[in-house]
Amino acid sequence: DELRSVEPALREAISARVARGKVECRLGISRVAVESAGGLNLEALARLKRLAADVAGELPGIGALRTIDVLGWPGVVDAPVADPDALRAAVLAALGEALEALTASRQREGAALRDILLASCTAIDAVADQLKLRVPDLLGAVERKLVERLEQALGRSLAETSVLSRDEIADRIRQEVTLYGLKMDVDEELKRLATHVNEVRRVLQAGGPVGRRLDFLMQ
């Protein structure tokens, strides 16, 4: 309750440093024992004594309260009322340290992830470059195999029905091979892939909260 008045300032400070994500902030007060610490609240101590007696009556075997248990019971020690301005300053200073540590941790993690993604981009480029060199040979091999199969299939049809001439069969084979070659051509896909890889590098170079953009590119 003592920290409730500081909540708006905490929200503002966190929002200024964290652009994305959900943040949970838990605060607790740890007071240092000083000469000005409050004394015992005799009324609260009397209530605790009665409660302890009631518990002992119901549970005869239970151990006695220790001094540390008594002093830790809420209200037994009259704590001095904290200066609101000093408390606010202390809380914001502690939050500043926590945010600095959080930022440093996220920067280290982000740098590691950036290196991993850049290495993946380099590996993708290497595979794409190898594929570009092999595409003509791969297409040629596929086309030769296709021509062979079509000649066998249409050759049997010509021999059995004599409906198609050899020129018509050859023309049909060329059409099928050309159509299949267009379907097999991955040049457009390779160019699109290169564009996406370059965009990933640009986004990583720009820095900042780029997770959402990267997630879109990965999809």
Side-chain angles (χ1 to χ4, degrees), residues 139-161:
L139 286 177
V142 170
E143 289 177 357
R144 287 192 297 272
K145 191 118 182 140
L146 181 61
V147 168
E148 180 181 346
R149 290 182 177 179
L150 287 175
E151 286 179 342
Q152 291 176 355
L154 294 178
R156 287 195 300 269
S157 175
L158 179 63
E160 294 171 359
T161 63

Side-chain angles (χ1 to χ4, degrees), residues 14 37 50-51 62 65 108 125 183 186 213:
I14 293 173
R50 289 195 299 271
L51 289 173
I62 196 169
L65 285 173
R108 290 192 298 270
D125 282 340
K183 292 181 179 180
V186 294
R213 176 61 179 167

Side-chain angles (χ1 to χ4, degrees), residues 37 44-45 50 54 83 129 138 145:
L45 186 60
R50 289 195 299 271
D54 292 341
D83 178 11
D129 290 340
L138 292 173
K145 191 118 182 140

Side-chain angles (χ1 to χ4, degrees), residues 18-164:
V18 182
R20 291 188 62 201
K22 177 182 178 182
V23 177
E24 289 189 13
C25 184
R26 302 184 62 181
L27 290 85
I29 299 178
S30 177
R31 289 184 170 85
V32 180
V34 295
E35 293 182 359
S36 60
L40 291 176
N41 185 322
L42 297 181
E43 292 182 4
L45 186 60
R47 288 196 299 270
L48 177 59
K49 183 179 179 180
R50 289 195 299 271
L51 289 173
D54 292 341
V55 172
E58 297 291 334
L59 303 171
I62 196 169
L65 285 173
R66 299 174 302 167
T67 301
I68 189 65
D69 299 327
V70 174
L71 294 177
W73 187 264
V76 169
V77 178
D78 283 327
V81 178
D83 178 11
D85 292 335
L87 181 60
R88 178 189 179 91
V91 169
L92 291 178
L95 176 65
E97 293 180 10
L99 288 175
E100 287 293 340
L102 174 65
T103 300
S105 174
R106 296 181 75 192
Q107 287 176 341
R108 290 192 298 270
E109 182 183 12
L113 292 174
R114 179 192 60 204
D115 292 342
I116 292 172
L117 290 174
L118 288 175
S120 296
C121 289
T122 301
I124 291 172
D125 282 340
V127 173
D129 290 340
Q130 293 176 5
L131 185 57
K132 288 177 184 177
L133 297 175
R134 294 191 60 192
V135 163
D137 293 336
L138 292 173
L139 286 177
V142 170
E143 289 177 357
R144 287 192 297 272
K145 191 118 182 140
L146 181 61
V147 168
E148 180 181 346
R149 290 182 177 179
L150 287 175
E151 286 179 342
Q152 291 176 355
L154 294 178
R156 287 195 300 269
S157 175
L158 179 63
E160 294 171 359
T161 63
S162 299
V163 174
L164 299 174

